[in-house]
Amino acid sequence: MKVSSFINGVYVDSEEQRNITSPVTGKLITPYSVATDAQVDEAVQAAKAALKGEWGSMSIQQRVEILYKVADGISARFDDFLEAECLDTGKPYSLARHIDIPRGAANFRVFADTIKNVADEAFHMPTPDGTGALNYTIRKPKGVIGVIGPWNLPLLLMTWKIGPALACGNTVVVKPSEETQLTMTMLGEVMNAAGVPKGVFNTVLGPGSRVGDKLISHPDLDAITFTGSTATGERVAEAASVGLRDASLELGGKNPAIVFADCDMDKAIEGTMRSVFANCGQVCLGTERVYVERPIFDEFVARLKTGAEALKLGKAEDPETTMGPLISASHRDKVLDYYQQAVDAGATVITGGGVPEMAEELKGGNWVEPTIWTGMAEDATPITEEIFGPCCHIAPFDTEDEAIEMANNSPYGLASSVWTENASRAHRVGGQMEVGISWINSWFLRDLRTPFGGAKQSGIGREGGHYSLEFYTELTNVCIKL
Ligand code: TXE
């Protein structure tokens, strides 16, 4: 497969080639072409021109039909997308088969349905002369949207933005993470086959600091939607402020789980296993801080340890595999540095803490052990900073108020999970979490109509359902004097 930017309906090469390597083996997967500055500009100009062409004059129904075809196109090539996503990220097939690829298709279907069913607002108003007036709103596309995303759930997170952006009639220039570009590259073929007009969907490939920065600084972008780290989110917000463009920022997290003694322990362990270790801990919604009520603390720690030690690290395609590697060697260095900082901060290492012994052919991969700590002070950096690896710290608590205070004591506010069988407590505690998404007895349970986003340094704005429409459209109020 040739990996290059997709501009105005065709793949374009460039002289500068870089390598994509496997997180599983460290070996070369394929080279890719880095977009030049001129190609970034061409992509934005193609997107701008497409707004005025066939795409711009389509009815909502016509757009919706095309988006259904895009969803069908992903589903029809399910196995190709699955293989590419797992090759790029190293995540187990068993995970991507149930989450990443189905959600990639669903993101087009759901937002096609959303735009089809949304009603315009209308208000009648009295006027001094008694004739009255009628106000109604018209939803228009914002224009050219810059879409920048991360490497942890590449197809899922990018289409979560591209789906609603196109449903609302915008055009997009997409910059996937330089770590994971395969499924976004394939999406170009799907768009062409579905009849998406040229220039509506474009990709530019390359490093964020260069290609990404060139894109967000382009004066002809009308809005930017970004998922990634808080530090880069601040840079995106800065670039968006020039020309007063709108920016939607979905950033990092340091998500807590609170486990009360009245929980269903089996469910709490199963849910926490997923929230800590799924995707090798590389999920923005993942749990890295677990607070457990003292009477069940020892049992909880022992059972989570058993679960962590039962995880099977291995190749993505092996049906036995339940955990893959980290995305890159540099990310592994970062995670291992936190593992060391935890020891330095006096942590008791319940399990893991290092690099696992892997079979010869996997030795070059970015493997780390699933890790659980106890005993750190709440201000230790492995407890305050996002690690983005397969690890968590477990601390005991004695009262509900103490648990809420510890859980909320973070500069981040993306997600939380509360485990209790007491319905009053579930509502009381769930509502007090300073986060965008508060789960009770669950994790990663997502209805795409609900608002998604973070409080505090976890982001600005919400996407999902009609919240996405708010971001991806510009409203015009028409006021008619009757
Ligand atoms: O993120 P970046 P990285 C967190 C996680 C991880 C850390 C760093 O803690 O360890 O961030 O990961 C593009 N202008 N999350 O370095 O830099 C970049 O090319 C424009 C949490 O991968 O934020 C990529 O496409 N674009 C997160 C995207 O931004 C720029 C998921 C994200 O990269 C740019 C990923 C620039 N100046 C990491 N610099 C989550 N919330 O899910 C970089 N990019």
Side-chain angles (χ1 to χ4, degrees), residues 457-473:
Q457 290 180 27
S458 289
I460 297 182
R462 295 290 182 273
E463 296 193 39
H466 71 83
Y467 303 93
S468 293
L469 305 192
E470 300 311 324
F471 179 72
Y472 292 107
T473 58

Side-chain angles (χ1 to χ4, degrees), residues 149 151 175 177-178 208 212-213 226 228-229 232 251 284 331 334 386:
W151 38 259
K175 216 289 295 165
S177 166
E178 53 272 45
D213 217 272
F226 172 79
S229 64
T232 305
L251 310 177
C284 54
H331 188 49
K334 177 183 151 182
E386 182 180 52

Side-chain angles (χ1 to χ4, degrees), residues 5 7 12-14 33-44 204:
S5 302
I7 300 173
V12 293
D13 278 332
S14 72
S33 294
V34 177
T36 62
D37 285 0
Q39 286 172 338
V40 174
D41 184 53
E42 277 166 33
V44 175
V204 287

Side-chain angles (χ1 to χ4, degrees), residues 68-268:
Y68 286 151
K69 283 188 190 157
V70 173
D72 291 344
I74 295 173
S75 301
R77 294 184 60 189
F78 191 96
D79 288 345
D80 294 345
F81 273 96
L82 181 66
E83 190 183 347
E85 198 72 322
C86 295
L87 191 64
D88 233 357
T89 58
K91 66 177 71 186
Y93 275 45
S94 53
L95 183 70
R97 184 177 284 123
H98 291 112
I99 296 186
D100 301 64
I101 314 304
R103 266 287 302 279
N107 283 333
F108 289 99
R109 275 198 200 101
V110 167
F111 287 104
D113 288 340
T114 307
I115 195 73
K116 200 169 64 179
N117 293 317
V118 72
D120 295 334
E121 273 184 337
F123 292 98
H124 291 272
M125 65 183 284
T127 52
D129 64 3
T131 61
L134 170 67
N135 292 274
Y136 62 90
T137 50
I138 301 176
R139 239 174 232 290
K140 299 173 182 165
K142 236 171 204 165
V144 180
I145 312 286
V147 181
I148 306 210
W151 38 259
N152 52 339
L153 300 140
L155 181 70
L156 186 159
L157 286 175
M158 291 307 234
T159 52
W160 162 249
K161 296 169 176 302
I162 298 165
L166 298 190
C168 293
N170 300 284
T171 58
V172 294
V173 180
V174 177
K175 216 289 295 165
S177 166
E178 53 272 45
E179 307 286 355
T180 51
Q181 313 184 102
L182 299 184
T183 49
M184 270 309 105
T185 303
M186 290 166 65
L187 197 57
E189 292 170 5
V190 172
M191 293 281 174
N192 277 351
V196 175
K198 290 184 191 333
V200 171
F201 170 83
N202 308 275
T203 65
V204 287
L205 307 187
S209 55
R210 218 174 77 205
V211 177
D213 217 272
K214 177 79 188 162
L215 177 62
I216 60 176
S217 312
H218 201 293
D220 287 338
L221 280 195
D222 297 295
I224 306 170
T225 176
F226 172 79
T227 300
S229 64
T230 297
T232 305
E234 286 174 351
R235 167 69 197 123
V236 171
E238 188 189 8
S241 74
V242 179
L244 291 178
R245 280 95 49 88
D246 214 352
S248 171
L249 305 174
E250 296 179 9
L251 310 177
K254 188 70 186 177
N255 309 302
I258 303 179
V259 187
F260 286 99
D262 59 17
C263 73
D264 177 322
M265 181 67 105
D266 290 346
K267 286 188 206 155

Side-chain angles (χ1 to χ4, degrees), residues 264-276 300 303-304 419 441-443:
D264 177 322
M265 181 67 105
D266 290 346
K267 286 188 206 155
I269 290 289
E270 189 274 333
T272 310
M273 276 299 298
R274 284 193 298 119
S275 72
V276 174
F300 186 92
R303 288 187 61 179
L304 204 70
W419 300 89
N441 295 330
S442 59
W443 179 76

